[in-house]
Amino acid sequence: MSSALRSPAFVRVLLAGFVSDTGDWMLFVALPLVVYRLTGSALGTSVAFVLELVPVVLLAPVAARLVGRYDRRRVLVFVSLVQAAAVAPLLLVRSAEQIPVLYAVIVLQASCSAVFEPAKDSWMPELVSADRLVSANALIGLAQNVGRLVGGPLGGALLAFGRMDVIVVADITSFVLAAVLLWSAPHDRRRRMKAGGGIGAHAPSAGAAARATGASPTRIGVVSALRQRGLRATYVSAGLAAIAQGLFLVLFVLFVTDSLKGTDAEVGLLRGIQAVGSIAAGAALGLLAVAARPRRIAMIGAVAFGLISLAVWNLPAITTATWPYVVLFMLVGAPGVLLSTGYISLIQTTAANRGSAFAAYGLVSAVGQGVGLLAAGGVQPVTGLLPLLEAQGVLYLLAGVVMLSGHARSRTGAADASAATARKRSAVETGGTRSTS
C-alpha cells in the first residue's frame, strides 16, 4: 500500500478541501457568536445548529440522484460556486431584524454540503486506486483538522476586531479557489494513467460492488442504498455513533463547567485539543500508508472512542485537575479519525451506487445527531448529566459491536460465495470430463 499523495488529481482535491475548510471554519466559529450577539438568545443559537441538519435529511434523495447521474467533478465545482454566492448576503447583516438572512445563508450552505460531501466521497475511487482509499480518506480528514486549527482561531480573532466582512470575503475566496482546483483535476477516466499515480487503477466499479453484495448497480436512491445487504451494519453503526456525537455536542460544555468546575478557556482548550489526536491519526493512516481493512478500522475506532469517553466521564470521581483531561481529549481525536475513515472507505469499496450510499450515510448521520441533540436537551434535566454521558460512551461501544458482527457476516458471506464458486467450477470440470469420455 502507498500514500494517496502519489496521485496528482487527488492532491488537487485535497488542496481544494483544505482551502475550503479553512474558510468554513472561520465562518463556523464566527456565526454562532454573531447570532448570539444580535439576538441575545441561546435559543437563537440553537436554532442555527438545528438548521444545519435539516437540509441533509430533506435533500438526501436529491443528492443521491444528482451524484449518481452527473459528473462528480462538475457537481463539486458548481456547488462550490453556489456556496461562494450564498455567503455573500452576510455582508448585509447588521441588526437583529436581519437574522432571517443569516438563517437563510446557514440553510443554503447546509444544502450545498448535503450534495458536496456525497459527491466528493464517491469520487475518491476514481482518483486513487483501491489500496490507497484508506490513505486518501485519512488525508482528507487530516486536511480538515488542519483547516480547523488554522481557520477557527483566525475567525475568532477577526471577529474580536469587528471584521466580519473580512471573514465573509475570505470564505467566498476559499470557495472560488476550491472550485478552480477541482476544475483542474482530471475527469476523463479514459485518459488517466493507471500506473504511477494510480488514478483509477483497481478502483472498484459499481458492478463489482453489486456482484459482491447482491445489490443492483443501476438502482439509484437512498432507500435502495439503505437496503444494501453489505452496508446495513455500517449504517446502523454510523447511526449509533451519530447519536453519541449529538449527545456530546450538548453535554460537553455542561461536563466541563459543572463536573470539572472549568472556565470558558478550559472549554475551548479541551474542545480544540482533540485536533492533535486527529491530526496524528490522519498522518499515520495517510502519510505512512498504514495497511488496514476499513471495517476493522471503524470497529477499532468505535470501541476506542467508547472506552476513552467512559474514562473521561467517570474520572471526576478521582480528580478534576485539568491535565488528565487534556491528555484524554487529545487521545480521543485519534479514534474519531479511524471511525470516519473506516466508514467512508468501506462505503467506497462496497456500495453498489456510491452516490446513493453516501447520501444515505449523510442522512443516517444527520438523523442520529438530531436524536442525540434532542435527547440531551430533553432528557438531561430528568436523568442528570452522568447517566447520559455514560450512555454516550456505551453507544460508541455498541457501534463497534455492530461493526464486529458485520465483519463476521461479511466473512461468512465471502466463504459461502467462495464455496459456491468452487462448486460451480467443479461441476463444469466434471461435466467437461464426462463429455470427452
Side-chain angles (χ1 to χ4, degrees):
M1 178 180 178
S2 58
S3 172
L5 290 176
R6 294 183 62 184
S7 165
F10 171 74
V11 171
R12 296 179 194 180
V13 175
L14 184 68
L15 289 174
F18 169 71
V19 170
S20 179
D21 287 331
T22 301
D24 280 346
W25 274 102
M26 292 174 62
L27 197 64
F28 289 162
V29 168
L31 277 184
L33 296 173
V34 171
V35 172
Y36 187 71
R37 287 180 182 178
L38 293 178
T39 64
S41 167
L43 177 61
T45 306
S46 299
V47 169
F49 283 113
V50 173
L51 287 175
E52 293 181 2
L53 297 176
V54 174
V56 180
V57 176
L58 297 181
L59 295 180
V62 177
R65 295 193 174 275
L66 285 175
V67 176
R69 294 183 183 275
Y70 297 99
D71 177 75
R72 281 141 185 162
R73 183 188 67 100
R74 294 179 183 272
V75 170
L76 291 171
V77 171
F78 176 76
V79 171
S80 295
L81 294 176
V82 171
Q83 286 178 300
V87 173
L90 290 177
L91 293 170
L92 305 176
V93 176
R94 293 288 184 273
S95 64
E97 288 73 21
Q98 296 168 313
I99 282 293
V101 175
L102 192 149
Y103 285 156
V105 170
I106 292 175
V107 171
L108 282 173
Q109 289 294 330
S111 299
C112 289
S113 295
V115 177
F116 188 93
E117 292 303 318
K120 179 195 68 179
D121 291 333
S122 62
W123 195 26
M124 283 302 105
E126 299 180 25
L127 299 178
V128 299
S129 57
D131 64 331
R132 296 177 184 172
L133 280 175
V134 169
S135 172
N137 294 319
L139 285 170
I140 288 175
L142 173 63
Q144 289 173 340
N145 281 288
V146 174
R148 174 181 181 178
L149 283 178
V150 175
L154 185 57
L158 287 172
L159 189 63
F161 287 99
R163 300 314 304 265
M164 184 64 185
D165 56 339
V166 175
I167 295 174
V168 174
V169 171
D171 201 26
I172 292 173
T173 304
S174 73
F175 285 128
V176 174
L177 287 176
V180 171
L181 287 166
L182 290 167
W183 182 258
S184 68
H187 60 286
D188 188 345
R189 295 189 66 178
R190 292 171 298 180
R191 297 180 182 177
R192 291 177 190 163
M193 297 281 297
K194 293 191 176 183
I199 302 171
H202 310 299
S205 66
R211 286 190 295 271
T213 58
S216 171
T218 59
R219 189 171 298 173
I220 298 175
V222 172
V223 175
S224 176
L226 290 173
R227 289 176 176 173
Q228 184 176 331
R229 186 173 65 249
L231 287 175
R232 290 173 186 170
T234 303
Y235 292 135
V236 173
S237 178
L240 292 171
I243 296 173
Q245 176 65 12
L247 289 171
F248 173 83
L249 290 175
V250 175
L251 301 178
F252 167 74
V253 175
L254 297 178
F255 172 76
V256 177
T257 56
D258 294 352
S259 299
L260 301 184
K261 309 302 179 184
T263 63
D264 291 345
E266 289 172 323
V267 171
L269 171 65
L270 295 178
R271 191 72 173 93
I273 203 69
Q274 295 176 54
V276 175
S278 300
I279 290 173
L285 286 176
L287 300 176
L288 301 180
V290 177
R293 296 179 179 177
R295 193 181 298 274
R296 185 174 299 171
I297 292 176
M299 180 182 65
I300 293 173
V303 172
F305 212 138
L307 292 176
I308 296 174
S309 296
L310 290 173
V312 170
W313 308 142
N314 289 280
L315 190 58
I318 301 174
T319 179
T320 57
T322 302
W323 71 265
Y325 298 93
V326 170
V327 173
L328 288 172
F329 274 98
M330 189 184 302
L331 292 175
V332 83
V337 169
L338 296 179
L339 190 59
S340 61
T341 299
Y343 287 150
I344 293 172
S345 301
L346 187 60
I347 292 172
Q348 288 169 340
T349 55
T350 307
N353 184 290
R354 291 192 296 268
S356 298
F358 278 111
Y361 174 65
L363 172 64
V364 168
S365 298
V367 171
Q369 188 167 318
V371 169
L373 288 168
L374 293 174
V379 179
Q380 189 273 333
V382 178
T383 64
L385 182 60
L386 185 58
L388 274 182
L389 291 173
E390 299 275 12
Q392 188 261 2
V394 170
L395 282 170
Y396 276 119
L397 294 179
L398 289 176
V401 171
V402 169
M403 293 306 294
L404 177 62
S405 63
H407 176 65
R409 286 196 297 271
S410 67
R411 291 187 65 180
T412 301
D416 292 343
S418 298
T421 301
R423 287 194 298 269
K424 289 180 180 179
R425 184 181 296 114
S426 177
V428 170
E429 292 173 352
T430 303
T433 302
R434 290 174 179 171
S435 64
T436 57
S437 60

